[in-house]
């Protein structure tokens, strides 16, 4: 069947003409309306494919007052966790038929997050997802107009701001209990930056597990998520381990990149992993199973975080009066321990 339109992008009327139906029928097919015969639907879809028709979302926005675009504020997407979370959100948005407009920030302050939200608002986005690793992001979210659809990812409890988060404290406790169950008397910790909410949650989970077991709680050493900071912290712990044999036998590290640095520092100090010291990381980056030795670590389901964030946000967009109950405002994704050969029973 020849194309009827020879110049310019095809419009809905071209699809209708080629399929031999009304433009209302084309619209019903595009919107997946159930009351369309299978034969008619197939004919319309064939016409769409032949004409390479693409929906005019600008025109649709004039009718529906929706742009089918979501605004996402992200920070430090060079790190595995934020980058993987952002990817999960993008995938979930695409599956739901939404475009994503992303603002990546170099630093999180109340002002930078507020500017990002204002920038997205100027694009008339239908809702916001904010990766909120620091308190300043939550404070900026609270400045949004009442009723704005918004979800914070990895944020703290903050009034009526809906949150989707991995159970960071639970994952840290899981790792710590595992090491204690292997017979280690206590577990040392290399933590992330003090101003990151995830790092703070992991410290709290580690402390809680040690306290519940009646184990000593050593002072945590803080890094900045980088392998270099993990190496420096690992060297500090290695010096203690060499000076006082048997004092340090297990280390829980706040992320896998820092664990990589710590493993090198221990190796350079002739401290064997796991024979002398067991090491557990957090994140389960793709390289973790190839570390020397393969790293026992806590894995996070970033795809599920993206899916639940989208579900929560679309629930707000589609509901005249969104559910504001505590259960509806906080959705926690469980973490899981992946056991490899960087840990061993302490004898």
């Amino acid at each position: 069947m020849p194309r009827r339109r020879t110049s310019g992008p095809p419009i809905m009327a071209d699809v209708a003409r080629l399929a031999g139906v009304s433009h209302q029928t084309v619209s019903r097919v595009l919107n997946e309306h159930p009351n369309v015969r299978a034969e008619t639907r197939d004919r319309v879809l064939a016409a769409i494919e032949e004409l390479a028709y693409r929906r005019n979302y600008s025109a649709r926005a004039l009718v529906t007052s929706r742009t089918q675009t979501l605004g996402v504020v992200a920070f430090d997407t060079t790190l595995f966790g934020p980058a993987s979370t952002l990817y999960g959100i993008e995938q979930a948005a695409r599956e739901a038929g939404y475009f994503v407009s992303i603002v990546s920030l170099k630093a999180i302050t109340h002002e930078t997050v507020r500017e990002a939200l204002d920038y997205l608002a100027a694009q008339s986005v239908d809702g916001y997802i904010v990766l909120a690793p620091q308190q300043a992001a939550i404070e900026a979210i609270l400045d949004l107009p009442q009723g704005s659809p918004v979800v914070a990812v990895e944020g703290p409890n903050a009034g009526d701001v809906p949150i989707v988060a991995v159970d960071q404290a639970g994952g840290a406790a899981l790792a710590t209990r595992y090491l204690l169950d292997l017979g280690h008397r206590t577990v040392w910790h290399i933590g992330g930056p003090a101003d990151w909410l995830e790092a703070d949650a992991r410290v709290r989970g580690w402390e809680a597990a040690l306290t519940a077991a009646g184990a000593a709680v050593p002072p945590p050493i803080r890094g900045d998520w980088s392998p270099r900071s993990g190496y420096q912290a690992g060297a500090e712990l290695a010096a203690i381990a060499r000076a006082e044999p048997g004092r340090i036998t297990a280390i829980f590290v706040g992320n896998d990149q820092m664990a990589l640095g710590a493993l090198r520092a221990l190796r350079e100090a002739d401290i064997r992993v796991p024979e002398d010291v067991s090491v557990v990381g957090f994140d389960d980056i793709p390289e973790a199973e190839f570390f020397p030795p393969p790293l026992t670590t806590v894995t996070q389901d970033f795809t599920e975080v993206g899916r639940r964030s989208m579900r929560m946000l679309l629930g707000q967009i589609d509901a005249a009066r969104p559910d504001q109950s505590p259960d509806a405002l906080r959705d926690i994704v469980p973490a899981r321990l992946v056991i490899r050969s960087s840990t061993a029973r302490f004898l």
Side-chain angles (χ1 to χ4, degrees), residues 282-294:
F282 204 109
D283 278 343
D284 194 21
I285 63 175
E287 299 84 359
E289 63 178 308
F290 302 103
F291 282 8

Side-chain angles (χ1 to χ4, degrees), residues 3 5 7-15 48 51-55:
R3 295 191 185 191
R5 186 177 176 88
S7 64
I11 62 176
M12 190 179 295
D14 298 318
V15 175
I48 288 172
L51 293 173
Y53 171 74
R54 297 292 181 267
R55 300 186 73 169

Side-chain angles (χ1 to χ4, degrees), residues 23-38:
H23 75 274
Q24 292 94 337
T25 298
V26 175
S27 178
R28 283 195 289 270
V29 171
L30 290 171
N31 291 306
E32 300 182 355
H33 197 284
N35 295 332
V36 179
R37 288 187 302 173

Side-chain angles (χ1 to χ4, degrees), residues 61-342:
L62 292 174
V63 176
T64 65
S65 298
R66 293 186 183 179
T67 60
Q68 293 298 117
T69 302
L70 304 176
V72 178
V73 180
F75 172 68
D76 205 348
T77 52
T78 60
L79 293 173
F80 178 74
S84 299
T85 302
L86 182 58
Y87 178 77
I89 291 169
E90 288 182 298
Q91 293 300 304
R94 189 176 299 117
E95 290 174 6
Y98 277 81
F99 299 102
V100 175
S101 180
I102 301 169
V103 179
S104 295
L105 302 178
K106 292 183 178 179
I108 287 190
T109 66
H110 185 279
E111 291 73 22
T112 58
V113 178
R114 181 57 192 268
E115 288 173 2
L117 292 171
D118 288 344
Y119 173 80
L120 293 169
Q123 299 180 36
S124 300
V125 297
D126 295 334
Y128 309 85
I129 296 179
V130 181
L131 277 63
Q134 297 176 6
Q135 185 63 37
I138 296 296
E139 294 170 358
I141 290 173
L142 294 172
D143 288 341
L144 284 170
Q146 188 71 27
S148 298
V150 61
V151 171
V153 177
E154 299 299 345
N157 288 316
D160 58 356
V161 177
I163 304 290
V164 176
V166 172
D167 188 358
Q168 306 290 342
L174 191 66
T176 305
R177 285 195 299 268
Y178 174 68
L179 289 167
L180 293 173
D181 288 344
L182 288 175
H184 298 279
R185 290 188 293 272
T186 190
V187 178
W188 292 68
H189 182 48
I190 301 174
D195 60 345
W196 276 65
L197 299 167
E198 294 173 6
D200 182 62
R202 292 172 196 177
V203 169
R204 286 188 283 105
W206 161 75
E207 287 181 341
L210 290 178
T211 301
V217 181
I221 301 174
R222 292 282 188 173
D224 62 8
W225 298 130
S226 70
R228 180 177 298 277
S229 70
Y231 175 82
Q232 293 166 344
E236 184 177 337
L237 293 176
I240 297 173
R242 287 182 64 84
E244 304 177 56
R247 183 179 176 191
I248 297 178
T249 64
I251 304 171
F252 164 52
V253 189
N255 78 336
D256 291 348
Q257 285 95 340
M258 291 194 299
L260 176 62
L263 287 170
R264 176 177 171 178
L266 293 170
R267 186 166 59 252
E268 290 180 355
D270 293 325
I271 296 173
R272 300 170 301 167
V273 176
E275 292 86 354
D276 301 321
V277 174
S278 289
V279 177
V280 176
F282 204 109
D283 278 343
D284 194 21
I285 63 175
E287 299 84 359
E289 63 178 308
F290 302 103
F291 282 8
L295 185 66
T296 295
T297 185
V298 177
T299 188
Q300 307 181 70
D301 191 341
F302 296 108
T303 300
E304 184 64 15
V305 169
R307 186 161 37 244
R308 295 192 190 188
S309 299
M310 277 299 304
R311 184 173 61 200
M312 185 177 284
L313 185 62
L314 294 180
Q316 296 177 55
I317 292 172
D318 294 335
R321 299 182 63 183
D323 187 353
Q324 295 293 303
S325 66
D327 288 344
L329 290 175
R330 191 163 181 83
D331 193 351
I332 303 301
V333 179
R336 182 172 57 86
L337 187 67
V338 177
I339 299 172
R340 299 192 179 104
S341 54
S342 65

